[in-house]
Amino acid sequence: LRLWTAPTIKFPTNVTTPAPTSKSYIPPSARTAACIIAPLQQPLIDNFKEYPGILGEQYYGDQDTGILMQYPGYQWDDPGQSAGQTGCGNSYDARLRAWYSNAVSGPKDVVIVLDMSGSMQNEGRLQMAKTAAKAVLKTLSNVDYVTVVEFSSDASAFPGGNGLLIPCTDENREKLEEYIDSLVPLGRTNYEAAFTLAFQFMEDSRRSGASSGCKSVMLFLTDGENTEGDANIVKLTNELNHADYDMRIFTYSLGDEAGSGQPA
């Protein structure tokens, strides 16, 4: 249902989680964000009137809280729902949508690296890694290029790109998600193989034009110490990560076994 009288402001569920002292507690950061965007409401309406048939929907997303303001407004939750049911608006977070991440970061090349060693079977780590990887894919669009590398004793990658990054179209995203779901943990942990293959994808993709030509990012998810190979990982990544793509590497530890001396 579209609302034309005023923009709507949406608070993600995790922002409005009830506190013991209040039935509708809103953290100070969210209240501050709401105050900041309040003066923007009338300009959104005026813009729409000034450019009829040209200007479509207008959005504002807040990085710290996930608050979303949009015009025309939108009724997120269906008041006719049965008790206990929730609408799509209850879990909507603008920061996890492609329109927001692309506006913030622009086109980019992304390599998602997933540890699939045997220990990933423990304590729900496998599901955490897969859920995180698929959440990242949802923030990408067809101007972004991406692949998924999985590693244990050795490393391999999504086969659909023939050794190159692929644009994150809806079709390709679905194929990547299916690939992630198919991964099975087995073997040891070989960081050297993982980083080498990830950088090889970036090298080959940039040379062949299978690239956004913009920022490059690696997301490295692991749960344990390097148990295969004896390479100095910091030295290796410094050698591989040359100025042609200057890849930013973000590492994530799953569980409490990741060594502090490793890039996890």
Side-chain angles (χ1 to χ4, degrees):
L1 176 63
R2 289 299 186 200
L3 305 175
W4 300 95
T5 56
T8 52
I9 299 176
K10 174 72 181 69
F11 291 77
T13 304
N14 63 341
V15 171
T16 57
T17 301
T21 57
S22 172
K23 293 183 179 180
S24 58
Y25 172 75
I26 299 176
S29 60
R31 292 199 297 270
T32 299
C35 290
I36 291 174
I37 64 179
L40 299 176
Q41 296 187 47
Q42 188 59 47
L44 296 187
I45 299 173
D46 294 342
N47 288 342
F48 200 84
K49 292 179 179 178
E50 185 173 353
Y51 302 102
I54 298 176
L55 188 62
E57 297 188 15
Q58 302 168 83
Y59 300 92
Y60 171 86
D62 184 72
Q63 175 63 39
D64 290 335
T65 62
I67 289 175
L68 170 69
M69 179 172 69
Q70 69 179 111
Y71 184 81
Y74 180 77
Q75 182 172 308
W76 286 94
D77 302 309
D78 182 359
Q81 289 174 320
S82 302
Q85 291 184 329
T86 57
C88 64
N90 285 343
S91 60
Y92 187 93
D93 189 329
R95 295 166 295 183
L96 303 179
R97 303 296 178 175
W99 70 264
Y100 180 86
S101 62
N102 281 330
V104 171
S105 63
K108 54 198 164 292
D109 297 337
V110 180
V111 181
I112 303 171
V113 184
L114 302 177
D115 184 349
M116 285 294 127
S117 59
S119 59
M120 287 291 289
Q121 301 177 78
N122 302 330
E123 301 176 4
R125 297 169 192 166
L126 176 64
Q127 191 55 48
M128 280 192 292
K130 290 184 174 184
T131 299
K134 289 189 285 186
V136 170
L137 291 176
K138 286 182 171 60
T139 69
L140 305 179
S141 74
N142 58 359
V143 300
D144 302 307
Y145 282 72
V146 63
T147 195
V148 176
V149 170
E150 63 92 10
F151 74 98
S152 52
S153 300
D154 203 350
S156 60
F158 172 69
N162 297 317
L164 301 173
L165 301 179
I166 58 175
C168 195
T169 61
D170 290 342
E171 180 181 0
N172 285 339
R173 182 185 298 108
E174 183 176 347
K175 292 178 180 178
L176 286 162
E177 289 175 344
E178 291 174 353
Y179 173 72
I180 291 170
D181 286 333
S182 72
L183 298 177
V184 177
L186 180 68
R188 296 168 65 82
T189 308
N190 190 334
Y191 286 171
E192 179 180 4
F195 280 111
T196 300
L197 183 59
F199 278 106
Q200 188 64 56
F201 262 86
M202 186 59 62
E203 179 81 20
D204 294 343
S205 296
R206 286 289 173 97
R207 287 182 174 178
S208 67
S211 165
S212 68
C214 299
K215 299 176 183 177
S216 58
V217 179
M218 182 190 305
L219 307 178
F220 192 95
L221 291 79
T222 182
D223 79 326
E225 296 205 27
N226 188 30
T227 59
E228 189 84 9
D230 55 4
N232 182 315
I233 301 302
V234 174
K235 180 180 179 181
L236 174 68
T237 55
N238 286 338
E239 291 174 349
L240 294 172
N241 195 14
H242 54 73
D244 284 352
Y245 36 77
D246 191 23
M247 185 184 292
R248 294 189 177 187
I249 304 174
F250 298 91
T251 60
Y252 303 87
S253 299
L254 302 173
D256 56 7
E257 295 180 9
S260 59
Q262 299 293 342

PDB file of all heavy atoms in Angstrom, residues 10-16 74 76-78 81 84-93 97:
ATOM      1  N   LYS A  10      11.035   3.563   8.638  1.00  0.00           N
ATOM      2  CA  LYS A  10      11.024   2.160   9.067  1.00  0.00           C
ATOM      3  C   LYS A  10      12.200   1.886   9.982  1.00  0.00           C
ATOM      4  O   LYS A  10      13.338   2.172   9.647  1.00  0.00           O
ATOM      5  CB  LYS A  10      11.111   1.248   7.826  1.00  0.00           C
ATOM      6  CG  LYS A  10      11.255  -0.231   8.163  1.00  0.00           C
ATOM      7  CD  LYS A  10       9.952  -0.769   8.700  1.00  0.00           C
ATOM      8  CE  LYS A  10      10.079  -2.250   9.060  1.00  0.00           C
ATOM      9  NZ  LYS A  10      10.939  -2.502  10.217  1.00  0.00           N
ATOM     10  N   PHE A  11      11.918   1.339  11.146  1.00  0.00           N
ATOM     11  CA  PHE A  11      12.947   0.921  12.085  1.00  0.00           C
ATOM     12  C   PHE A  11      13.105  -0.594  11.999  1.00  0.00           C
ATOM     13  O   PHE A  11      12.128  -1.320  12.192  1.00  0.00           O
ATOM     14  CB  PHE A  11      12.560   1.283  13.521  1.00  0.00           C
ATOM     15  CG  PHE A  11      12.565   2.751  13.815  1.00  0.00           C
ATOM     16  CD1 PHE A  11      11.522   3.559  13.386  1.00  0.00           C
ATOM     17  CD2 PHE A  11      13.598   3.331  14.517  1.00  0.00           C
ATOM     18  CE1 PHE A  11      11.512   4.921  13.645  1.00  0.00           C
ATOM     19  CE2 PHE A  11      13.596   4.692  14.787  1.00  0.00           C
ATOM     20  CZ  PHE A  11      12.557   5.484  14.352  1.00  0.00           C
ATOM     21  N   PRO A  12      14.311  -1.109  11.724  1.00  0.00           N
ATOM     22  CA  PRO A  12      14.498  -2.561  11.723  1.00  0.00           C
ATOM     23  C   PRO A  12      14.163  -3.150  13.085  1.00  0.00           C
ATOM     24  O   PRO A  12      14.246  -2.467  14.115  1.00  0.00           O
ATOM     25  CB  PRO A  12      15.988  -2.743  11.409  1.00  0.00           C
ATOM     26  CG  PRO A  12      16.398  -1.470  10.750  1.00  0.00           C
ATOM     27  CD  PRO A  12      15.547  -0.398  11.375  1.00  0.00           C
ATOM     28  N   THR A  13      13.819  -4.426  13.109  1.00  0.00           N
ATOM     29  CA  THR A  13      13.433  -5.091  14.348  1.00  0.00           C
ATOM     30  C   THR A  13      14.508  -4.971  15.407  1.00  0.00           C
ATOM     31  O   THR A  13      14.226  -4.763  16.588  1.00  0.00           O
ATOM     32  CB  THR A  13      13.134  -6.574  14.076  1.00  0.00           C
ATOM     33  OG1 THR A  13      12.131  -6.666  13.074  1.00  0.00           O
ATOM     34  CG2 THR A  13      12.650  -7.268  15.330  1.00  0.00           C
ATOM     35  N   ASN A  14      15.798  -5.094  15.002  1.00  0.00           N
ATOM     36  CA  ASN A  14      16.859  -5.078  15.991  1.00  0.00           C
ATOM     37  C   ASN A  14      17.077  -3.698  16.608  1.00  0.00           C
ATOM     38  O   ASN A  14      17.771  -3.560  17.603  1.00  0.00           O
ATOM     39  CB  ASN A  14      18.173  -5.580  15.378  1.00  0.00           C
ATOM     40  CG  ASN A  14      18.661  -4.688  14.252  1.00  0.00           C
ATOM     41  OD1 ASN A  14      17.896  -3.915  13.695  1.00  0.00           O
ATOM     42  ND2 ASN A  14      19.924  -4.799  13.911  1.00  0.00           N
ATOM     43  N   VAL A  15      16.474  -2.668  16.015  1.00  0.00           N
ATOM     44  CA  VAL A  15      16.584  -1.324  16.585  1.00  0.00           C
ATOM     45  C   VAL A  15      15.497  -1.100  17.623  1.00  0.00           C
ATOM     46  O   VAL A  15      15.701  -0.422  18.617  1.00  0.00           O
ATOM     47  CB  VAL A  15      16.485  -0.251  15.483  1.00  0.00           C
ATOM     48  CG1 VAL A  15      16.369   1.145  16.083  1.00  0.00           C
ATOM     49  CG2 VAL A  15      17.698  -0.330  14.577  1.00  0.00           C
ATOM     50  N   THR A  16      14.327  -1.688  17.430  1.00  0.00           N
ATOM     51  CA  THR A  16      13.184  -1.444  18.305  1.00  0.00           C
ATOM     52  C   THR A  16      12.922  -2.602  19.255  1.00  0.00           C
ATOM     53  O   THR A  16      11.839  -2.742  19.777  1.00  0.00           O
ATOM     54  CB  THR A  16      11.925  -1.184  17.464  1.00  0.00           C
ATOM     55  OG1 THR A  16      11.707  -2.305  16.596  1.00  0.00           O
ATOM     56  CG2 THR A  16      12.077   0.069  16.631  1.00  0.00           C
ATOM     57  N   TYR A  74       5.264   3.690   2.380  1.00  0.00           N
ATOM     58  CA  TYR A  74       4.895   2.284   2.175  1.00  0.00           C
ATOM     59  C   TYR A  74       4.415   1.699   3.487  1.00  0.00           C
ATOM     60  O   TYR A  74       5.071   1.850   4.522  1.00  0.00           O
ATOM     61  CB  TYR A  74       6.106   1.507   1.673  1.00  0.00           C
ATOM     62  CG  TYR A  74       5.858   0.038   1.414  1.00  0.00           C
ATOM     63  CD1 TYR A  74       5.187  -0.384   0.272  1.00  0.00           C
ATOM     64  CD2 TYR A  74       6.284  -0.929   2.312  1.00  0.00           C
ATOM     65  CE1 TYR A  74       4.957  -1.720   0.022  1.00  0.00           C
ATOM     66  CE2 TYR A  74       6.054  -2.287   2.080  1.00  0.00           C
ATOM     67  CZ  TYR A  74       5.388  -2.673   0.929  1.00  0.00           C
ATOM     68  OH  TYR A  74       5.148  -4.011   0.705  1.00  0.00           O
ATOM     69  N   TRP A  76       4.375  -1.125   5.626  1.00  0.00           N
ATOM     70  CA  TRP A  76       5.188  -2.319   5.675  1.00  0.00           C
ATOM     71  C   TRP A  76       4.438  -3.545   6.162  1.00  0.00           C
ATOM     72  O   TRP A  76       4.609  -4.634   5.655  1.00  0.00           O
ATOM     73  CB  TRP A  76       6.394  -2.071   6.578  1.00  0.00           C
ATOM     74  CG  TRP A  76       7.412  -1.195   5.935  1.00  0.00           C
ATOM     75  CD1 TRP A  76       7.538   0.166   6.061  1.00  0.00           C
ATOM     76  CD2 TRP A  76       8.423  -1.593   5.013  1.00  0.00           C
ATOM     77  NE1 TRP A  76       8.563   0.632   5.291  1.00  0.00           N
ATOM     78  CE2 TRP A  76       9.123  -0.426   4.635  1.00  0.00           C
ATOM     79  CE3 TRP A  76       8.805  -2.820   4.486  1.00  0.00           C
ATOM     80  CZ2 TRP A  76      10.205  -0.457   3.755  1.00  0.00           C
ATOM     81  CZ3 TRP A  76       9.875  -2.856   3.612  1.00  0.00           C
ATOM     82  CH2 TRP A  76      10.556  -1.686   3.244  1.00  0.00           C
ATOM     83  N   ASP A  77       3.628  -3.388   7.170  1.00  0.00           N
ATOM     84  CA  ASP A  77       2.962  -4.544   7.765  1.00  0.00           C
ATOM     85  C   ASP A  77       1.474  -4.524   7.474  1.00  0.00           C
ATOM     86  O   ASP A  77       0.825  -3.490   7.583  1.00  0.00           O
ATOM     87  CB  ASP A  77       3.187  -4.589   9.278  1.00  0.00           C
ATOM     88  CG  ASP A  77       4.662  -4.629   9.621  1.00  0.00           C
ATOM     89  OD1 ASP A  77       5.365  -5.490   9.056  1.00  0.00           O
ATOM     90  OD2 ASP A  77       5.085  -3.804  10.430  1.00  0.00           O
ATOM     91  N   ASP A  78       0.943  -5.664   7.122  1.00  0.00           N
ATOM     92  CA  ASP A  78      -0.464  -5.797   6.776  1.00  0.00           C
ATOM     93  C   ASP A  78      -1.292  -5.857   8.060  1.00  0.00           C
ATOM     94  O   ASP A  78      -1.189  -6.817   8.822  1.00  0.00           O
ATOM     95  CB  ASP A  78      -0.669  -7.072   5.952  1.00  0.00           C
ATOM     96  CG  ASP A  78      -2.111  -7.254   5.518  1.00  0.00           C
ATOM     97  OD1 ASP A  78      -2.935  -6.399   5.888  1.00  0.00           O
ATOM     98  OD2 ASP A  78      -2.395  -8.244   4.826  1.00  0.00           O
ATOM     99  N   GLN A  81      -3.219  -9.133   9.072  1.00  0.00           N
ATOM    100  CA  GLN A  81      -2.570 -10.407   9.304  1.00  0.00           C
ATOM    101  C   GLN A  81      -3.098 -11.055  10.575  1.00  0.00           C
ATOM    102  O   GLN A  81      -3.519 -10.384  11.523  1.00  0.00           O
ATOM    103  CB  GLN A  81      -1.057 -10.218   9.419  1.00  0.00           C
ATOM    104  CG  GLN A  81      -0.407  -9.887   8.094  1.00  0.00           C
ATOM    105  CD  GLN A  81       1.061  -9.580   8.288  1.00  0.00           C
ATOM    106  OE1 GLN A  81       1.443  -8.926   9.239  1.00  0.00           O
ATOM    107  NE2 GLN A  81       1.877 -10.047   7.375  1.00  0.00           N
ATOM    108  N   GLY A  84       0.363 -13.449  15.444  1.00  0.00           N
ATOM    109  CA  GLY A  84       1.568 -14.279  15.373  1.00  0.00           C
ATOM    110  C   GLY A  84       2.286 -14.195  14.054  1.00  0.00           C
ATOM    111  O   GLY A  84       3.429 -14.616  13.939  1.00  0.00           O
ATOM    112  N   GLN A  85       1.652 -13.654  13.019  1.00  0.00           N
ATOM    113  CA  GLN A  85       2.281 -13.521  11.727  1.00  0.00           C
ATOM    114  C   GLN A  85       3.024 -12.192  11.640  1.00  0.00           C
ATOM    115  O   GLN A  85       2.669 -11.231  12.311  1.00  0.00           O
ATOM    116  CB  GLN A  85       1.241 -13.595  10.595  1.00  0.00           C
ATOM    117  CG  GLN A  85       0.624 -14.967  10.421  1.00  0.00           C
ATOM    118  CD  GLN A  85      -0.322 -14.999   9.244  1.00  0.00           C
ATOM    119  OE1 GLN A  85      -0.952 -14.008   8.914  1.00  0.00           O
ATOM    120  NE2 GLN A  85      -0.408 -16.131   8.579  1.00  0.00           N
ATOM    121  N   THR A  86       4.068 -12.177  10.847  1.00  0.00           N
ATOM    122  CA  THR A  86       4.832 -10.941  10.665  1.00  0.00           C
ATOM    123  C   THR A  86       4.944 -10.623   9.191  1.00  0.00           C
ATOM    124  O   THR A  86       5.008 -11.514   8.350  1.00  0.00           O
ATOM    125  CB  THR A  86       6.252 -11.084  11.244  1.00  0.00           C
ATOM    126  OG1 THR A  86       6.896 -12.195  10.625  1.00  0.00           O
ATOM    127  CG2 THR A  86       6.199 -11.287  12.750  1.00  0.00           C
ATOM    128  N   GLY A  87       4.954  -9.336   8.879  1.00  0.00           N
ATOM    129  CA  GLY A  87       5.108  -8.909   7.507  1.00  0.00           C
ATOM    130  C   GLY A  87       6.562  -8.807   7.132  1.00  0.00           C
ATOM    131  O   GLY A  87       7.454  -8.855   7.972  1.00  0.00           O
ATOM    132  N   CYS A  88       6.836  -8.621   5.833  1.00  0.00           N
ATOM    133  CA  CYS A  88       8.223  -8.527   5.380  1.00  0.00           C
ATOM    134  C   CYS A  88       8.913  -7.321   5.984  1.00  0.00           C
ATOM    135  O   CYS A  88      10.135  -7.302   6.127  1.00  0.00           O
ATOM    136  CB  CYS A  88       8.288  -8.468   3.864  1.00  0.00           C
ATOM    137  SG  CYS A  88       7.512  -6.985   3.151  1.00  0.00           S
ATOM    138  N   GLY A  89       8.121  -6.295   6.361  1.00  0.00           N
ATOM    139  CA  GLY A  89       8.725  -5.097   6.912  1.00  0.00           C
ATOM    140  C   GLY A  89       9.393  -5.299   8.253  1.00  0.00           C
ATOM    141  O   GLY A  89      10.274  -4.539   8.638  1.00  0.00           O
ATOM    142  N   ASN A  90       8.989  -6.297   9.005  1.00  0.00           N
ATOM    143  CA  ASN A  90       9.547  -6.497  10.334  1.00  0.00           C
ATOM    144  C   ASN A  90      11.030  -6.770  10.305  1.00  0.00           C
ATOM    145  O   ASN A  90      11.750  -6.429  11.236  1.00  0.00           O
ATOM    146  CB  ASN A  90       8.827  -7.648  11.036  1.00  0.00           C
ATOM    147  CG  ASN A  90       7.446  -7.232  11.518  1.00  0.00           C
ATOM    148  OD1 ASN A  90       7.148  -6.050  11.621  1.00  0.00           O
ATOM    149  ND2 ASN A  90       6.602  -8.205  11.794  1.00  0.00           N
ATOM    150  N   SER A  91      11.531  -7.421   9.273  1.00  0.00           N
ATOM    151  CA  SER A  91      12.942  -7.792   9.222  1.00  0.00           C
ATOM    152  C   SER A  91      13.729  -6.978   8.197  1.00  0.00           C
ATOM    153  O   SER A  91      14.925  -7.212   8.042  1.00  0.00           O
ATOM    154  CB  SER A  91      13.076  -9.287   8.887  1.00  0.00           C
ATOM    155  OG  SER A  91      12.483  -9.568   7.628  1.00  0.00           O
ATOM    156  N   TYR A  92      13.093  -6.043   7.536  1.00  0.00           N
ATOM    157  CA  TYR A  92      13.764  -5.291   6.477  1.00  0.00           C
ATOM    158  C   TYR A  92      14.841  -4.390   7.059  1.00  0.00           C
ATOM    159  O   TYR A  92      14.590  -3.607   7.979  1.00  0.00           O
ATOM    160  CB  TYR A  92      12.751  -4.452   5.690  1.00  0.00           C
ATOM    161  CG  TYR A  92      13.350  -3.782   4.468  1.00  0.00           C
ATOM    162  CD1 TYR A  92      13.287  -4.390   3.229  1.00  0.00           C
ATOM    163  CD2 TYR A  92      13.981  -2.546   4.573  1.00  0.00           C
ATOM    164  CE1 TYR A  92      13.828  -3.777   2.103  1.00  0.00           C
ATOM    165  CE2 TYR A  92      14.530  -1.928   3.462  1.00  0.00           C
ATOM    166  CZ  TYR A  92      14.453  -2.555   2.230  1.00  0.00           C
ATOM    167  OH  TYR A  92      15.000  -1.949   1.132  1.00  0.00           O
ATOM    168  N   ASP A  93      16.040  -4.487   6.522  1.00  0.00           N
ATOM    169  CA  ASP A  93      17.159  -3.636   6.930  1.00  0.00           C
ATOM    170  C   ASP A  93      17.802  -3.099   5.667  1.00  0.00           C
ATOM    171  O   ASP A  93      18.361  -3.859   4.875  1.00  0.00           O
ATOM    172  CB  ASP A  93      18.163  -4.448   7.748  1.00  0.00           C
ATOM    173  CG  ASP A  93      19.241  -3.577   8.399  1.00  0.00           C
ATOM    174  OD1 ASP A  93      19.597  -2.538   7.810  1.00  0.00           O
ATOM    175  OD2 ASP A  93      19.727  -3.949   9.475  1.00  0.00           O
ATOM    176  N   ARG A  97      20.578  -4.350   1.587  1.00  0.00           N
ATOM    177  CA  ARG A  97      19.985  -4.329   0.247  1.00  0.00           C
ATOM    178  C   ARG A  97      20.967  -3.750  -0.764  1.00  0.00           C
ATOM    179  O   ARG A  97      21.762  -2.860  -0.446  1.00  0.00           O
ATOM    180  CB  ARG A  97      18.698  -3.500   0.243  1.00  0.00           C
ATOM    181  CG  ARG A  97      17.660  -3.999   1.237  1.00  0.00           C
ATOM    182  CD  ARG A  97      17.174  -5.390   0.902  1.00  0.00           C
ATOM    183  NE  ARG A  97      16.219  -5.858   1.900  1.00  0.00           N
ATOM    184  CZ  ARG A  97      15.545  -7.011   1.814  1.00  0.00           C
ATOM    185  NH1 ARG A  97      15.737  -7.776   0.782  1.00  0.00           N
ATOM    186  NH2 ARG A  97      14.711  -7.368   2.760  1.00  0.00           N
TER     187      ARG A  97
END
